[in-house]
């Protein structure tokens, strides 16, 4: 007999078997990950419902997290603390990639006058580690934002196509939601991923949000071509020129890989 699963604030489940972890660290992880992209603050009741952890335990752990600045009090509610953001920026891989990509992101956003985002694989989702463009808050991904419905976004589909072992469709299919009438269904997704593998880029034509089209290309490591993340541009469908955007994205991606190579060479110099 299976146990009902507990929904998290980002739309995913706390655990596939519906049980909360027994360790304190596991419960802390559930509390911190309960905050969705649009959640500025959550009440104790909301945290309890989203984590499936006993209310008294959530309250005690939240007090400890406030004391160590991982959470902050917002009246009677809680919000994520700046310490988490500071720690995240110290992660070596993301920090190096973000540093290498920043000039390319800014140039691309200016040239196309559209939001540009850099997202990296993170467990079963994608994490936006940087963005650029004056319209980014309206149409682009926010820094630290998580892409959960990977099948409906250009960077998500690109990641599914290039990392099939990390993101198996069998695990993804039960959680796929139709974001718009154009969102691909589970039976059409495998063919789409094969096409993406062959052409080396992904598009999302109003599959995630009506009125917007996105294009994404991979950013690869300088040594072995490892897929590091997705560089993507989103723009209103009426003015999105896919061939022009794709050419600009590929040039920007190559520039990031070249800069990563320079950084790597500098660090290994005696």
């Amino acid at each position: 007999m299976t146990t009902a699963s507990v929904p998290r604030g980002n739309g995913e489940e706390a655990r596939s078997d519906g049980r909360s972890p027994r360790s304190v660290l596991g419960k802390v992880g559930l509390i911190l990950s309960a905050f969705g992209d649009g959640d500025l603050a959550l009440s104790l009741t909301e945290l309890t419902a989203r984590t499936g952890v006993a209310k008294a335990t959530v309250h005690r752990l939240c007090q400890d997290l406030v004391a160590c600045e991982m959470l902050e009090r917002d009246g009677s509610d809680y919000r994520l603390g700046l310490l988490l953001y500071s720690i995240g920026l110290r992660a070596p891989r993301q920090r190096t990639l973000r540093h290498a990509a920043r000039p390319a992101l800014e140039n691309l956003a200016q040239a196309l006058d559209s939001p540009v985002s850099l997202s990296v694989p993170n467990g079963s989702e994608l994490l936006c580690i940087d963005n650029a463009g004056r319209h980014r808050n309206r149409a682009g991904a926010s820094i630290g934002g998580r892409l959960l419905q990977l099948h409906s976004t250009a960077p998500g589909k690109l990641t599914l196509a290039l990392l099939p072992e990390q993101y198996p469709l069998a695990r993804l299919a039960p959680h796929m939601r139709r974001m718009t009438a154009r969102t691909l269904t589970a039976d059409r997704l495998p063919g789409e991923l094969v096409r993406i593998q062959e052409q080396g880029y992904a598009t999302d034509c109003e599959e995630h949000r009506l009125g917007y089209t996105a294009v994404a290309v991979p950013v690869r490591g300088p040594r072995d071509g490892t897929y590091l993340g997705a560089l993507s541009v989103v723009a209103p469908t009426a003015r999105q020129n896919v061939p022009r955007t794709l050419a600009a994205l590929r040039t920007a991606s190559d520039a990031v890989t070249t800069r990563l190579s320079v950084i790597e060479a500098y660090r290994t110099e005696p």
Side-chain angles (χ1 to χ4, degrees):
M1 184 177 86
T2 58
T3 307
S5 56
V6 179
R8 283 169 44 180
N10 55 22
E12 296 215 326
E13 297 172 353
R15 276 177 57 130
S16 60
D17 59 8
R19 294 176 296 167
S20 296
R22 295 182 179 180
S23 70
V24 171
L25 185 58
K27 292 172 183 177
V28 166
L30 285 182
I31 291 171
L32 296 179
S33 61
F35 290 84
D37 294 342
D39 295 322
L40 296 179
L42 294 175
S43 67
L44 180 62
T45 300
E46 289 172 319
L47 287 171
T48 300
R50 293 186 181 190
T51 60
V53 178
K55 189 172 185 178
T57 302
V58 173
H59 181 264
R60 174 174 54 81
L61 292 176
C62 283
Q63 300 311 303
D64 292 341
L65 290 169
V66 168
C68 65
E69 299 182 348
M70 289 190 177
L71 287 182
E72 297 175 353
R73 293 301 300 265
D74 184 8
S76 60
D77 296 340
Y78 298 91
R79 62 189 179 196
L80 295 175
L82 289 177
L83 180 61
L84 289 174
Y85 178 73
S86 175
I87 291 173
L89 292 179
R90 297 174 201 161
R93 181 169 68 95
Q94 286 88 340
R95 183 177 59 191
T96 300
L97 179 57
R98 192 168 183 256
H99 175 67
R102 189 63 202 173
L105 261 68
E106 292 178 345
N107 291 339
L108 192 60
Q110 184 174 7
L112 299 177
D113 191 28
S114 297
V116 182
S117 299
L118 177 63
S119 304
V120 298
N122 180 50
S124 61
E125 57 197 30
L126 282 182
L127 181 69
C128 176
I129 62 171
D130 205 359
N131 59 26
R134 60 190 179 94
H135 304 299
R136 62 184 182 274
N137 292 330
R138 183 170 56 192
S142 59
I143 297 176
R146 293 168 292 184
L147 299 179
L148 302 172
Q149 297 295 321
L150 302 186
H151 66 291
S152 65
T153 66
K157 290 193 294 182
L158 182 69
T159 302
L160 292 176
L162 299 183
L163 297 178
E165 294 183 359
Q166 183 174 339
Y167 297 87
L169 291 184
R171 186 180 65 194
L172 173 74
H175 304 285
M176 287 176 57
R177 290 194 292 121
R178 296 295 299 276
M179 306 302 291
T180 73
R182 293 177 175 267
T183 305
L184 294 181
T185 53
D187 60 314
R188 294 179 56 195
L189 188 57
E192 171 78 350
L193 299 185
V194 170
R195 183 180 66 82
I196 292 171
Q197 290 172 348
E198 293 174 348
Q199 66 187 18
Y201 69 93
T203 59
D204 143 31
C205 184
E206 302 189 0
E207 295 166 41
H208 191 73
R209 183 179 178 185
L210 289 176
Y212 288 90
T213 293
V215 185
V217 302
V219 175
R220 298 190 178 276
R223 289 190 177 183
D224 52 7
T226 301
Y227 173 62
L228 301 179
L231 191 61
S232 59
V233 170
V234 59
T237 300
R239 70 175 182 85
Q240 175 71 281
N241 184 325
V242 174
R244 175 174 176 253
T245 299
L246 180 59
L249 274 168
R250 283 175 165 164
T251 298
S253 176
D254 289 342
V256 175
T257 299
T258 298
R259 197 151 188 253
L260 281 171
S261 180
V262 173
I263 294 172
E264 195 172 277
Y266 175 79
R267 288 181 174 176
T268 56
E269 284 184 359

